[in-house]
């Protein structure tokens, strides 16, 4: 909420405060003290000369006198009040006292109640003002921006014209072609109706988070230049049953008034999950909302000119009725970008960045396989932040490297101290991965090795596929497992002991081996699908599912997995043993430099030492390294160590 909205919401409360203070002043109860006297007390004070002021007001309707005045010992805000019946004797006593003492001011006023219209104003006007203020505040709360009583209204926000276009969407060439028909239909629907074609009523965008599904939907609206409603799936479901269905009805009602238009539902799996699943049955409110959505999309009524675009990264949990033709007719898979797509995405996000001339986006795209569009944007933003912290005028490769490590593993923990033994173990562990990457064609290519702790890891080796592929051979998978086991084998061969550092490596290797046996048919069990590739979505299915394999087959699966891992382990051990000199060379270089890149590794393997003339700037070390205590004098060895880090 901005300052203008805050001030606007405080106006009714400020008005009420002013009105309340005015009432206090109007009725004379703002710090005034009024004493009620009896007739005897008043006569005693009157005869004793204590009365200093006296005002007499006759009350015609009640036939009484109202006496208000002050005594000589009263304070400034103190007074007395007295009511007496009509009496000539009373008036004569006051007159005698005035003539005798002459020490008080006597005032006789007319009765204000003698005029009927004045009495009506005094009694009715305050009530009317209070009732009007109450009605104004109540109607403002209902019909204004807060809408506290407006449960059933749609929460979809309307954008009259989206500013995003296809120029803002990079790397989604095929996906943009799939939705181009929607734009043509919204611009010229007769071209399709004359041919007897029916445009898809709904398009479901499926893909991992951060791949640009929402941006693509906004670009479709921007290209078509039509109104654009957007809402999240969670905005439909509320505490009260029936509210979600009411909001769906109201959303389509508003959309019909602005047709042709687009409706974008983000994270539709929040409301579109399969009905009747789970241990305790379905959620009544969510299922009613889904039923209403199904009816509005393709029921007895027609929603001409309304196209729905929805996005989710969990299509497996959606209800089948939602995915049938006539509702979401088309599914567009927005997958992670390949190398060429990453180059296009980097061009978009690098427009306002000042990059060093030596940085090529093609090289950066090659080093970031598996990154989504959001990851790439975050990578360049982190690099820009690092360049500002280091007081640089442009983003260099050092900031790119550090930003990549931050995105993948977290910031460097340079202050975390290793013992000499731990540091040596980590160095040989990471060097083992590097040796396997160098000696096996199917293993991933080593891009960077560091023994500086990041996140939960004491060090890590950044390895990327030599070439991006959709399919992998059995030999490539086996060599990938060997690459993962290289760290553990290096520990065993060098120190004759093992550590817990290979925990994550084993997790990945075991997953690959199990997939080879149960999904890919790459074992002695034959070409059989023994397990589904994705786990069960609902807890209820886990308890009620039927097993497709016997206990004997389950035991054979375990044996095959063990056989794959053990054979890869022996192969890895043989390669590491045959290349102990290379292992020691890389490990000892890591102990000295702490971080080495792919180019340095290649030079090290070929020449046995790092290049002496290709030194980086002292500012090109990790940001956390800059916090180290600096010494007044540094020899060449120390300078070299800091530069490579």
């Amino acid at each position: 909420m901005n300052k203008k909205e805050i001030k606007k919401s405080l106006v009714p409360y400020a008005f009420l405060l002013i009105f309340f203070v005015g009432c206090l002043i109007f009725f004379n109860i703002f710090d005034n003290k009024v004493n009620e006297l009896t007739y005897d007390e008043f006569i005693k004070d009157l005869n004793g000369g204590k009365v200093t002021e006296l005002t007499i007001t006759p009350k015609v309707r009640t036939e009484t006198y109202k006496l208000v005045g002050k005594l000589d010992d009263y304070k400034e805000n103190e007074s007395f009040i007295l009511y007496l019946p009509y009496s000539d004797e009373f008036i004569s006593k006051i007159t005698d006292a005035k003539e005798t003492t002459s020490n008080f001011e006597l005032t006789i006023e007319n009765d204000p109640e003698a005029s009927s219209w004045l009495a009506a104003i005094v009694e009715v006007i305050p009530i009317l003002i209070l009732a009007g203020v109450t009605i104004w505040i109540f109607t403002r709360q209902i019909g204004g921006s807060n809408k506290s009583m407006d449960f059933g209204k749609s929460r979809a926000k309307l954008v009259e014209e989206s500013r995003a276009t296809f120029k803002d969407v990079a790397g989604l060439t095929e996906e943009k072609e799939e939705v181009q028909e929607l734009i043509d239909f919204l611009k010229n629907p007769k071209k399709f109706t004359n041919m007897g074609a029916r445009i898809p009523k709904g398009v479901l965008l499926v893909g991992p988070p951060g791949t640009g599904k929402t941006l693509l939907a906004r670009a479709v609206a921007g290209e078509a230049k039509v109104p654009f409603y957007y809402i999240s799936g969670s905005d439909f479901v509320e505490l009260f049953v029936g509210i979600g269905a009411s909001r769906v009805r109201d959303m389509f009602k508003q959309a019909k008034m602005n047709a042709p238009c687009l409706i974008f539902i983000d994270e539709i799996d929040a409301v579109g999950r399969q009905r009747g699943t789970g241990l305790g049955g379905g959620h009544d409110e969510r299922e009613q909302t889904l039923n209403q959505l199904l009816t509005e999309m393709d029921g007895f009524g027609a929603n001409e000119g309304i196209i729905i675009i929805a996005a989710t990264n969990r299509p497996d949990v959606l209800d089948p009725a939602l995915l049938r033709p006539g509702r979401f007719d088309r599914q567009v898979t927005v997958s992670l970008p390949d190398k060429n797509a990453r180059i296009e995405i980097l061009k978009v996000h690098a427009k306002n960045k000042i990059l060093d001339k030596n940085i090529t986006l093609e090289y950066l795209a090659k080093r970031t396989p598996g990154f989504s569009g959001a990851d790439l944007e975050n990578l360049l933003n982190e690099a820009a932040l690092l360049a500002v912290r280091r007081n640089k005028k442009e983003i260099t490769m050092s900031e790119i490297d550090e930003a990549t490590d931050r995105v993948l593993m977290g910031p460097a923990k340079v202050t975390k101290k290793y013992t000499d033994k731990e540091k040596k173990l980590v160095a040989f562990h990471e060097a083992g991965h590097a040796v396997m990457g160098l000696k096996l064609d199917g293993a991933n290519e080593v891009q960077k090795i560091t023994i500086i702790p990041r996140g939960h890891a004491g060090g890590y080796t950044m390895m990327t596929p030599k070439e991006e592929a959709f399919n992998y051979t059995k030999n490539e998978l086996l060599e990938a497992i060997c690459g993962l086991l290289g760290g553990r084998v290096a520990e065993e061969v060098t120190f004759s002991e093992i550590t817990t550092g290979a925990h994550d490596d084993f997790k990945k290797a075991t997953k690959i081996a199990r997939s080879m046996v149960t999904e890919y048919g790459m074992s002695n069990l034959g070409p059989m699908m023994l397990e589904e590739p994705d786990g069960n979505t609902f807890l209820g299915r886990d308890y009620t599912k039927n097993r497709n394999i016997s206990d004997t087959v389950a035991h054979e699966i375990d044996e095959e997995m063990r056989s794959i891992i053990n054979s890869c382990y022996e192969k890895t051990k043989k390669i590491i043993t045959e290349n102990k000199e290379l292992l020691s060379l890389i490990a000892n270089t890591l102990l000295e430099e702490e971080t080495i890149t792919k180019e340095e590794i290649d030079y090290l393997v070929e020449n046995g030492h790092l290049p002496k003339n290709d030194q980086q700037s002292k500012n090109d070390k990790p940001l956390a390294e800059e916090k180290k205590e600096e010494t007044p004098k540094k020899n060449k060895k120390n300078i070299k160590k800091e530069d490579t880090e």
Side-chain angles (χ1 to χ4, degrees):
M1 183 181 291
N2 54 35
K3 293 182 179 180
K4 186 176 181 180
E5 291 177 343
I6 294 175
K7 291 180 180 179
K8 192 174 181 180
S9 62
L10 292 177
V11 169
Y13 303 102
F15 185 84
L16 280 177
L17 179 63
I18 295 172
F19 179 74
F20 181 70
V21 173
C23 289
L24 293 177
I25 297 174
F26 179 79
F27 290 107
N28 296 320
I29 59 173
F30 198 83
D31 200 26
N32 286 334
K33 184 178 180 181
V34 179
N35 301 316
E36 293 187 4
L37 299 181
T38 63
Y39 176 75
D40 294 337
E41 290 174 342
F42 172 73
I43 294 300
K44 181 179 178 180
D45 293 334
L46 182 66
N47 294 331
K50 292 185 177 182
V51 178
T52 58
E53 295 181 13
L54 182 63
T55 300
I56 302 175
T57 304
K59 300 292 183 180
V60 177
R61 289 196 303 172
T62 58
E63 295 185 353
T64 58
Y65 290 110
K66 176 185 176 183
L67 282 71
V68 179
K70 291 186 176 183
L71 302 181
D72 55 3
D73 58 348
Y74 277 8
K75 297 180 181 179
E76 185 177 355
N77 61 342
E78 190 175 4
S79 62
F80 68 82
I81 188 170
L82 178 69
Y83 290 93
L84 297 175
Y86 277 176
S87 173
D88 294 337
E89 181 182 358
F90 168 70
I91 295 298
S92 62
K93 287 183 179 182
I94 293 178
T95 304
D96 294 342
K98 174 67 177 175
E99 293 176 354
T100 302
T101 60
S102 299
N103 61 347
F104 68 91
E105 298 179 3
L106 178 63
T107 304
I108 299 176
E109 296 182 348
N110 295 326
D111 182 11
E113 296 180 358
S115 176
S116 59
W117 66 269
L118 184 60
I121 291 176
V122 173
E123 293 182 0
V124 175
I125 291 300
I127 298 175
L128 292 177
I129 293 175
L130 184 60
V133 170
T134 303
I135 294 172
W136 177 72
I137 294 176
F138 186 74
T139 54
R140 180 181 176 82
Q141 291 295 322
I142 293 179
S145 59
N146 292 328
K147 296 185 178 182
S148 57
M149 300 296 291
D150 199 4
F151 294 115
K153 294 294 183 181
S154 172
R155 294 293 187 267
K157 298 179 181 179
L158 173 62
V159 178
E160 292 292 344
E161 185 174 346
S162 176
R163 297 181 179 179
T165 62
F166 278 168
K167 294 181 180 179
D168 303 315
V169 183
L172 299 178
T173 305
E174 293 79 8
E175 290 80 356
K176 287 188 285 189
E177 291 177 358
E178 285 293 318
V179 297
Q180 183 65 43
E181 291 180 357
L182 304 181
I183 300 172
D184 296 338
F185 173 78
L186 292 170
K187 288 183 176 180
N188 187 13
K190 291 185 178 180
K191 181 173 67 173
F192 293 87
T193 56
N194 292 340
M195 188 61 65
R198 179 182 61 82
I199 200 69
K201 294 185 178 180
V203 176
L204 183 64
L205 303 179
V206 179
T211 50
K213 300 184 291 295
T214 303
L215 179 60
L216 182 61
R218 291 175 54 198
V220 171
E223 291 286 341
K225 301 186 183 302
V226 296
F228 177 63
Y229 289 91
Y230 67 95
I231 188 172
S232 173
S234 60
D235 288 335
F236 291 110
V237 182
E238 286 284 357
L239 173 65
F240 304 105
V241 176
I243 295 299
S246 175
R247 289 179 177 175
V248 172
R249 288 191 294 269
D250 187 67
M251 180 180 70
F252 278 90
K253 180 181 178 182
Q254 294 180 24
K256 290 176 184 177
M257 297 178 182
N258 292 277
C261 67
L262 283 173
I263 297 177
F264 177 65
I265 305 176
D266 199 9
E267 304 298 343
I268 194 174
D269 52 276
V271 70
R273 286 178 177 264
Q274 290 187 23
R275 294 165 288 183
T277 54
L279 288 176
H283 189 295
D284 288 340
E285 164 62 4
R286 181 182 57 77
E287 291 193 1
Q288 288 191 23
T289 306
L290 175 59
N291 292 337
Q292 187 63 45
L293 181 62
L294 296 174
T295 303
E296 293 290 345
M297 289 187 69
D298 188 23
F300 283 102
N303 292 313
E304 298 296 338
I306 301 175
I307 297 177
I308 300 177
I309 302 178
T312 182
N313 51 16
R314 296 296 307 275
D316 54 313
V317 306
L318 296 180
D319 194 277
L322 197 62
L323 303 177
R324 74 158 174 82
R327 294 194 174 114
F328 283 105
D329 304 89
R330 183 176 297 177
Q331 290 191 29
V332 178
T333 301
V334 185
S335 55
L336 292 172
D338 58 11
K339 178 184 173 182
N340 294 330
R342 290 196 297 272
I343 294 175
E344 295 181 11
I345 294 172
L346 287 169
K347 287 180 181 178
V348 172
H349 296 303
K351 285 182 179 178
N352 60 343
K353 306 289 191 305
I354 304 175
L355 298 178
D356 184 72
K357 296 180 180 179
N358 296 325
I359 297 178
T360 61
L361 297 181
E362 183 177 358
Y363 175 70
L364 184 56
K366 184 179 179 181
R367 294 187 55 187
T368 52
F371 277 50
S372 66
D375 292 331
L376 294 172
E377 190 276 334
N378 187 38
L379 172 63
L380 291 179
N381 184 64
E382 286 287 341
L385 293 175
L386 287 170
V388 173
R389 293 178 191 177
R390 293 172 175 176
N391 296 320
K392 290 188 175 182
K393 296 182 179 180
E394 57 188 8
I395 301 171
T396 65
M397 200 62 208
S398 174
E399 283 74 47
I400 297 293
D401 284 337
E402 177 66 13
T404 304
D405 295 340
R406 281 171 168 263
V407 171
L408 292 175
M409 303 293 294
K413 298 182 179 179
V414 182
T415 56
K416 184 177 180 180
K417 298 299 181 182
Y418 276 133
T419 64
D420 293 338
K421 181 180 179 181
E422 285 179 326
K423 191 172 184 180
K424 195 172 183 180
L425 280 167
V426 173
F428 275 88
H429 179 101
E430 301 302 334
H433 290 302
V435 169
M436 298 305 296
L438 292 170
K439 294 300 178 181
L440 293 178
D441 294 334
N444 291 336
E445 190 175 40
V446 179
Q447 295 290 342
K448 182 179 181 180
I449 313 174
T450 180
I451 57 173
I452 298 175
R454 290 182 181 273
H456 297 289
Y460 84 101
T461 302
M462 182 181 177
M463 304 177 72
T464 59
K466 293 182 174 64
E467 294 182 1
E468 295 183 47
F470 291 100
N471 296 311
Y472 297 95
T473 64
K474 180 180 179 179
N475 185 60
E476 288 174 341
L477 293 176
L478 291 174
E479 291 188 348
I481 294 175
C482 290
L484 292 168
L485 298 177
R488 165 58 68 85
V489 173
E491 295 174 5
E492 182 180 353
V493 170
T494 306
F495 303 101
S496 299
E497 62 179 350
I498 56 179
T499 68
T500 60
H503 169 267
D504 190 58
D505 299 330
F506 291 160
K507 180 180 178 181
K508 295 176 181 177
T510 304
K511 184 178 180 181
I512 295 174
R514 189 169 191 88
S515 297
M516 291 176 64
V517 177
T518 61
E519 299 176 30
Y520 308 147
M522 295 180 178
S523 69
N524 294 329
L525 295 181
M528 298 174 61
M529 174 66 74
L530 301 174
E531 288 182 355
E532 294 292 332
D534 294 324
N536 289 309
T537 306
F538 302 102
L539 181 63
R541 289 185 182 176
D542 290 340
Y543 282 96
T544 60
K545 69 176 183 179
N546 296 320
R547 293 184 59 186
N548 295 325
I549 59 174
S550 65
D551 293 336
T552 303
V553 175
H555 176 71
E556 291 177 354
I557 291 174
D558 296 337
E559 291 294 329
E560 287 293 324
M561 289 174 55
R562 186 178 292 109
S563 175
I564 292 174
I565 296 294
N566 288 339
S567 62
C568 290
Y569 193 88
E570 292 300 324
K571 181 179 179 180
T572 304
K573 191 172 184 180
K574 180 181 178 182
I575 295 175
I576 293 292
T577 304
E578 292 174 351
N579 295 274
K580 289 187 68 174
E581 293 183 2
L582 178 60
L583 177 70
S584 299
L585 177 63
I586 296 176
N588 291 328
T589 306
L590 272 174
L591 289 172
E592 182 181 353
E593 305 294 338
E594 292 189 340
T595 301
I596 54 178
T597 62
K598 179 183 181 299
E599 293 76 12
E600 292 173 329
I601 294 172
D602 294 339
Y603 191 93
L604 181 66
V605 173
E606 184 176 352
N607 299 281
H609 60 82
L610 289 179
K612 297 181 180 180
N613 298 325
D614 187 16
Q615 302 293 342
Q616 298 177 357
S617 172
K618 287 191 295 183
N619 293 329
D620 291 352
K621 55 183 180 293
L623 182 66
E625 181 72 12
E626 298 173 7
K627 299 180 181 178
K628 281 187 173 181
E629 186 176 348
E630 296 183 356
T631 56
K633 296 181 180 180
K634 299 178 182 178
N635 55 32
K636 294 182 179 180
K637 184 177 180 181
N638 290 335
I639 293 175
K640 180 182 178 183
K641 179 178 179 180
E642 290 182 356
D643 291 346
T644 55
E645 291 172 3

